[in-house]
Amino acid sequence: MAFKIIVCAKQVPDTNEIRINPETGTLIRDGVPSILNHDDANALEEALKIKDKFDDVHVTVITMGPPQAKDLLIEALAMGADEGILVSDRAVGGSDTWATSNVLAAAVHKVGDYDLLFAGRQAIDGDTAQVGPQLAEKLDVPQVTYVQKFEIADNLKDITVERQLEDGYEVIDIQTPCMLTAIKELNTPRYMSLKGIFDKEKDIKVWNAKDIEVDLNTVGLDASPTNVFRSFTPKPKGKGVLVEGDTEKDIAKNLLIGLKGKHVI
Protein backbone atom coordinates (compact mmCIF):
# COMPACT_ATOMS: atom_id res chain seq x y z
CA MET A 1 0.00 0.00 0.00
CA ALA A 2 1.44 3.34 -1.03
CA PHE A 3 2.64 5.91 1.48
CA LYS A 4 0.64 8.99 0.51
CA ILE A 5 1.93 12.53 0.92
CA ILE A 6 -0.09 15.66 0.22
CA VAL A 7 1.73 18.97 -0.30
CA CYS A 8 -0.28 22.20 -0.16
CA ALA A 9 1.32 24.91 -2.29
CA LYS A 10 0.48 28.38 -3.53
CA GLN A 11 1.30 30.41 -6.61
CA VAL A 12 2.35 33.91 -5.54
CA PRO A 13 3.48 37.10 -7.29
CA ASP A 14 7.25 37.47 -7.53
CA THR A 15 8.01 39.91 -4.70
CA ASN A 16 10.97 41.31 -6.63
CA GLU A 17 8.49 42.68 -9.15
CA ILE A 18 5.70 43.85 -6.83
CA ARG A 19 4.51 47.44 -7.01
CA ILE A 20 1.72 49.13 -5.08
CA ASN A 21 -0.71 51.65 -6.56
CA PRO A 22 -0.11 54.82 -4.49
CA GLU A 23 -3.70 55.99 -4.98
CA THR A 24 -5.57 52.78 -4.13
CA GLY A 25 -2.97 51.09 -1.91
CA THR A 26 -3.52 47.79 -3.75
CA LEU A 27 -1.03 45.48 -5.46
CA ILE A 28 -0.40 46.09 -9.15
CA ARG A 29 -0.56 42.55 -10.52
CA ASP A 30 -0.58 43.34 -14.24
CA GLY A 31 2.64 42.15 -15.80
CA VAL A 32 3.93 40.68 -12.53
CA PRO A 33 5.21 37.09 -12.95
CA SER A 34 3.93 34.37 -10.61
CA ILE A 35 6.15 31.78 -8.91
CA LEU A 36 5.93 28.78 -6.61
CA ASN A 37 5.94 30.12 -3.06
CA HIS A 38 9.43 29.68 -1.60
CA ASP A 39 8.56 27.79 1.59
CA ASP A 40 6.16 25.58 -0.36
CA ALA A 41 9.05 24.60 -2.62
CA ASN A 42 10.92 23.42 0.49
CA ALA A 43 7.85 21.44 1.57
CA LEU A 44 7.63 19.78 -1.85
CA GLU A 45 11.35 19.00 -1.86
CA GLU A 46 11.12 17.18 1.48
CA ALA A 47 8.20 15.12 0.18
CA LEU A 48 10.21 14.23 -2.92
CA LYS A 49 13.21 13.24 -0.79
CA ILE A 50 10.97 10.69 0.94
CA LYS A 51 9.83 9.47 -2.47
CA ASP A 52 13.48 9.11 -3.55
CA LYS A 53 14.39 7.09 -0.45
CA PHE A 54 11.44 4.72 -0.17
CA ASP A 55 9.50 2.57 -2.60
CA ASP A 56 5.80 3.09 -3.30
CA VAL A 57 5.50 6.71 -2.20
CA HIS A 58 2.85 8.88 -3.89
CA VAL A 59 3.09 12.68 -3.79
CA THR A 60 0.03 14.82 -4.53
CA VAL A 61 0.25 18.62 -4.75
CA ILE A 62 -2.88 20.69 -4.09
CA THR A 63 -3.19 24.37 -4.89
CA MET A 64 -6.05 26.85 -4.86
CA GLY A 65 -6.16 29.73 -7.29
CA PRO A 66 -7.14 31.01 -10.73
CA PRO A 67 -6.70 28.83 -13.85
CA GLN A 68 -3.11 30.04 -14.37
CA ALA A 69 -2.14 28.41 -11.06
CA LYS A 70 -2.02 25.21 -13.11
CA ASP A 71 1.51 26.32 -14.06
CA LEU A 72 2.57 25.69 -10.47
CA LEU A 73 1.35 22.10 -10.72
CA ILE A 74 3.18 21.58 -14.00
CA GLU A 75 6.35 22.73 -12.25
CA ALA A 76 5.70 20.44 -9.26
CA LEU A 77 5.13 17.45 -11.54
CA ALA A 78 8.31 18.26 -13.46
CA MET A 79 10.17 18.22 -10.13
CA GLY A 80 8.87 14.72 -9.40
CA ALA A 81 5.39 14.88 -7.90
CA ASP A 82 2.90 12.24 -9.07
CA GLU A 83 -0.34 14.19 -9.19
CA GLY A 84 -1.53 17.79 -9.18
CA ILE A 85 -4.90 19.15 -8.11
CA LEU A 86 -6.08 22.71 -8.77
CA VAL A 87 -9.10 24.01 -6.87
CA SER A 88 -10.38 26.91 -8.94
CA ASP A 89 -13.77 28.56 -8.60
CA ARG A 90 -14.99 32.17 -8.41
CA ALA A 91 -16.90 31.15 -5.28
CA VAL A 92 -13.64 30.75 -3.35
CA GLY A 93 -12.01 33.92 -4.69
CA GLY A 94 -11.00 36.49 -2.08
CA SER A 95 -10.74 33.91 0.69
CA ASP A 96 -8.60 34.88 3.69
CA THR A 97 -6.56 32.29 5.59
CA TRP A 98 -9.55 30.89 7.47
CA ALA A 99 -11.65 30.47 4.34
CA THR A 100 -8.65 29.14 2.38
CA SER A 101 -8.05 26.44 4.97
CA ASN A 102 -11.71 25.44 4.63
CA VAL A 103 -11.22 24.98 0.90
CA LEU A 104 -8.00 22.99 1.33
CA ALA A 105 -9.51 20.81 4.05
CA ALA A 106 -12.41 19.94 1.75
CA ALA A 107 -9.98 19.13 -1.06
CA VAL A 108 -7.91 16.88 1.22
CA HIS A 109 -11.07 15.06 2.31
CA LYS A 110 -11.92 14.47 -1.35
CA VAL A 111 -8.44 13.08 -2.03
CA GLY A 112 -9.09 10.59 0.75
CA ASP A 113 -6.43 8.66 2.64
CA TYR A 114 -3.08 10.30 3.34
CA ASP A 115 -0.15 9.66 5.65
CA LEU A 116 1.67 12.98 5.72
CA LEU A 117 0.80 16.59 4.97
CA PHE A 118 3.39 19.20 4.05
CA ALA A 119 3.04 22.93 3.50
CA GLY A 120 5.31 25.95 3.56
CA ARG A 121 5.52 28.02 6.71
CA GLN A 122 3.94 31.02 5.03
CA ALA A 123 3.30 32.65 1.68
CA ILE A 124 5.44 35.60 0.66
CA ASP A 125 2.38 37.61 -0.44
CA GLY A 126 0.68 37.43 2.96
CA ASP A 127 3.27 36.32 5.54
CA THR A 128 0.59 35.11 7.96
CA ALA A 129 1.82 31.53 8.59
CA GLN A 130 -1.79 30.63 9.42
CA VAL A 131 -3.08 28.34 6.68
CA GLY A 132 -0.98 25.28 7.60
CA PRO A 133 -1.94 25.29 11.30
CA GLN A 134 -5.59 26.03 10.48
CA LEU A 135 -5.68 23.16 8.01
CA ALA A 136 -4.24 20.77 10.61
CA GLU A 137 -6.89 21.83 13.13
CA LYS A 138 -9.71 21.28 10.64
CA LEU A 139 -8.34 17.87 9.68
CA ASP A 140 -7.79 17.04 13.37
CA VAL A 141 -4.19 15.92 12.94
CA PRO A 142 -1.13 16.83 15.06
CA GLN A 143 1.17 19.47 13.63
CA VAL A 144 4.67 20.90 13.89
CA THR A 145 5.48 24.29 12.36
CA TYR A 146 8.80 25.91 11.36
CA VAL A 147 10.45 22.57 10.57
CA GLN A 148 14.16 23.02 9.78
CA LYS A 149 15.22 19.36 9.92
CA PHE A 150 13.27 16.18 9.18
CA GLU A 151 13.88 12.48 9.64
CA ILE A 152 11.46 9.61 9.11
CA ALA A 153 12.05 6.03 10.27
CA ASP A 154 12.00 3.05 7.92
CA ASN A 155 8.58 2.13 9.28
CA LEU A 156 7.26 5.39 7.72
CA LYS A 157 5.50 6.07 10.98
CA ASP A 158 7.93 7.66 13.42
CA ILE A 159 9.17 11.16 12.59
CA THR A 160 11.72 13.36 14.35
CA VAL A 161 11.94 17.05 13.46
CA GLU A 162 13.78 20.14 14.58
CA ARG A 163 11.45 23.10 15.05
CA GLN A 164 13.11 26.48 14.66
CA LEU A 165 12.80 28.93 17.54
CA GLU A 166 14.00 32.53 17.81
CA ASP A 167 16.92 31.51 20.02
CA GLY A 168 17.56 27.92 18.92
CA TYR A 169 15.42 24.89 18.13
CA GLU A 170 13.46 22.11 19.79
CA VAL A 171 13.44 18.42 18.86
CA ILE A 172 9.98 16.90 18.52
CA ASP A 173 8.94 13.29 17.93
CA ILE A 174 5.67 12.82 16.09
CA GLN A 175 3.89 10.04 14.21
CA THR A 176 2.00 9.97 10.97
CA PRO A 177 -0.56 11.10 10.03
CA CYS A 178 0.51 14.66 10.82
CA MET A 179 1.00 18.14 9.35
CA LEU A 180 4.43 19.78 8.98
CA THR A 181 5.21 23.28 7.74
CA ALA A 182 8.64 23.84 6.18
CA ILE A 183 11.11 26.71 6.26
CA LYS A 184 13.97 27.45 3.87
CA GLU A 185 16.60 25.94 6.18
CA LEU A 186 15.03 22.50 5.72
CA ASN A 187 16.54 21.82 2.29
CA THR A 188 17.42 23.16 -1.14
CA PRO A 189 14.61 22.58 -3.66
CA ARG A 190 15.60 20.69 -6.80
CA TYR A 191 15.19 21.92 -10.34
CA MET A 192 12.65 20.53 -12.77
CA SER A 193 13.95 17.56 -14.75
CA LEU A 194 13.98 17.49 -18.54
CA LYS A 195 12.01 14.27 -18.46
CA GLY A 196 9.45 15.83 -16.17
CA ILE A 197 9.13 18.94 -18.32
CA PHE A 198 8.40 16.93 -21.48
CA ASP A 199 6.28 14.22 -19.85
CA LYS A 200 2.80 14.94 -21.20
CA GLU A 201 1.14 12.05 -19.36
CA LYS A 202 1.23 13.68 -15.93
CA ASP A 203 -2.13 13.95 -14.22
CA ILE A 204 -3.56 17.34 -13.27
CA LYS A 205 -7.12 17.54 -11.99
CA VAL A 206 -9.17 20.75 -11.81
CA TRP A 207 -11.88 20.82 -9.14
CA ASN A 208 -14.48 23.48 -8.40
CA ALA A 209 -16.31 24.20 -5.15
CA LYS A 210 -19.05 21.70 -6.01
CA ASP A 211 -16.51 18.95 -6.66
CA ILE A 212 -15.00 19.25 -3.17
CA GLU A 213 -18.42 19.71 -1.54
CA VAL A 214 -17.30 22.70 0.52
CA ASP A 215 -19.88 24.79 2.36
CA LEU A 216 -20.11 27.99 0.30
CA ASN A 217 -20.96 29.91 3.49
CA THR A 218 -17.42 29.25 4.72
CA VAL A 219 -15.40 30.33 1.68
CA GLY A 220 -14.84 33.41 -0.44
CA LEU A 221 -14.56 37.09 0.36
CA ASP A 222 -17.91 37.44 2.13
CA ALA A 223 -17.12 34.55 4.48
CA SER A 224 -13.65 35.85 5.33
CA PRO A 225 -13.41 37.50 8.78
CA THR A 226 -10.14 39.24 7.90
CA ASN A 227 -10.23 42.64 6.21
CA VAL A 228 -7.19 44.59 5.01
CA PHE A 229 -7.50 48.16 6.32
CA ARG A 230 -4.65 49.63 4.29
CA SER A 231 -1.53 48.62 2.37
CA PHE A 232 1.23 50.99 1.34
CA THR A 233 4.82 51.25 0.19
CA PRO A 234 7.08 52.60 2.96
CA LYS A 235 8.84 55.83 2.01
CA PRO A 236 12.51 55.23 1.20
CA LYS A 237 14.98 56.29 3.86
CA GLY A 238 17.32 59.19 3.17
CA LYS A 239 20.84 58.59 1.97
CA GLY A 240 23.31 57.90 4.76
CA VAL A 241 26.30 60.10 5.46
CA LEU A 242 29.77 58.72 6.10
CA VAL A 243 31.67 60.64 8.78
CA GLU A 244 35.43 60.33 8.37
CA GLY A 245 38.45 61.25 10.47
CA ASP A 246 41.95 60.08 11.36
CA THR A 247 41.01 59.28 14.98
CA GLU A 248 37.85 58.60 16.92
CA LYS A 249 38.16 62.10 18.35
CA ASP A 250 38.31 63.60 14.86
CA ILE A 251 35.29 61.53 13.77
CA ALA A 252 33.29 62.71 16.79
CA LYS A 253 34.33 66.32 16.09
CA ASN A 254 33.34 66.08 12.43
CA LEU A 255 30.02 64.46 13.38
CA LEU A 256 29.25 67.33 15.77
CA ILE A 257 30.13 69.89 13.11
CA GLY A 258 27.84 68.17 10.66
CA LEU A 259 24.97 68.03 13.13
CA LYS A 260 25.39 71.72 13.99
CA GLY A 261 25.32 72.58 10.32
CA LYS A 262 22.09 70.60 9.80
CA HIS A 263 20.25 71.24 13.05
CA VAL A 264 20.01 74.00 15.58
CA ILE A 265 21.61 72.70 18.78
Side-chain angles (χ1 to χ4, degrees):
M1 186 175 181
F3 183 80
K4 297 180 180 179
I5 305 174
I6 295 176
V7 180
C8 295
K10 184 179 182 182
Q11 188 182 61
V12 295
D14 188 343
T15 52
N16 292 325
E17 302 291 339
I18 280 183
R19 295 171 296 147
I20 293 181
N21 186 318
E23 296 182 359
T24 64
T26 57
L27 291 177
I28 300 174
R29 294 182 179 271
D30 292 343
V32 178
S34 295
I35 60 173
L36 169 61
N37 182 59
H38 297 165
D39 288 347
D40 296 343
N42 295 111
L44 175 57
E45 172 61 26
E46 203 61 30
L48 296 176
K49 287 171 64 176
I50 298 172
K51 180 178 172 65
D52 292 341
K53 184 177 180 180
F54 298 96
D55 295 330
D56 204 14
V57 175
H58 187 275
V59 177
T60 298
V61 180
I62 299 177
T63 191
M64 174 186 127
Q68 58 264 33
K70 187 176 181 180
D71 293 343
L72 174 154
L73 298 176
I74 294 173
E75 179 179 353
L77 294 174
M79 290 171 67
D82 299 290
E83 180 183 28
I85 297 171
L86 169 62
V87 180
S88 186
D89 194 312
R90 289 187 179 276
V92 304
S95 294
D96 68 355
T97 59
W98 180 81
T100 296
S101 62
N102 288 333
V103 174
L104 293 176
V108 171
H109 280 305
K110 181 173 175 61
V111 170
D113 295 336
Y114 60 89
D115 298 284
L116 184 57
L117 289 161
F118 272 115
R121 167 191 55 180
Q122 61 191 42
I124 59 175
D125 62 345
D127 286 341
T128 64
Q130 294 174 352
V131 173
Q134 289 174 341
L135 177 59
E137 288 297 315
K138 289 166 184 176
L139 296 174
D140 194 25
V141 293
Q143 61 176 293
V144 181
T145 56
Y146 293 77
V147 173
Q148 67 176 16
K149 188 175 180 180
F150 171 91
E151 293 181 2
I152 188 168
D154 290 343
N155 62 8
L156 292 175
K157 187 72 177 177
D158 299 308
I159 293 172
T160 300
V161 301
E162 288 183 6
R163 181 177 186 268
Q164 187 183 82
L165 304 174
E166 290 184 359
D167 56 353
Y169 64 88
E170 58 184 350
V171 178
I172 299 175
D173 292 326
I174 192 170
Q175 290 188 322
T176 58
C178 62
M179 174 85 190
L180 305 176
T181 68
I183 60 176
K184 65 179 181 179
E185 289 80 2
L186 179 59
N187 54 48
T188 300
R190 68 191 66 188
Y191 292 107
M192 296 180 285
S193 70
L194 287 175
K195 180 180 183 299
I197 292 172
F198 291 104
D199 188 351
K200 304 300 184 182
E201 301 303 319
K202 293 292 187 178
D203 187 16
I204 295 179
K205 299 184 176 77
V206 180
W207 292 343
N208 58 30
K210 184 177 180 180
D211 292 327
I212 61 175
E213 299 181 353
V214 67
D215 183 351
L216 295 182
N217 293 315
T218 66
V219 299
L221 182 61
D222 291 342
S224 298
T226 306
N227 292 295
V228 178
F229 174 69
R230 182 168 63 102
S231 61
F232 63 96
T233 303
K235 293 182 179 180
K237 295 181 179 180
K239 184 180 179 180
V241 177
L242 177 63
V243 180
E244 298 179 322
D246 295 331
T247 65
E248 292 183 356
K249 186 175 181 179
D250 289 340
I251 294 174
K253 180 181 178 180
N254 293 336
L255 174 60
L256 184 58
I257 293 172
L259 290 173
K260 285 182 177 181
K262 190 174 182 179
H263 305 283
V264 177
I265 299 180

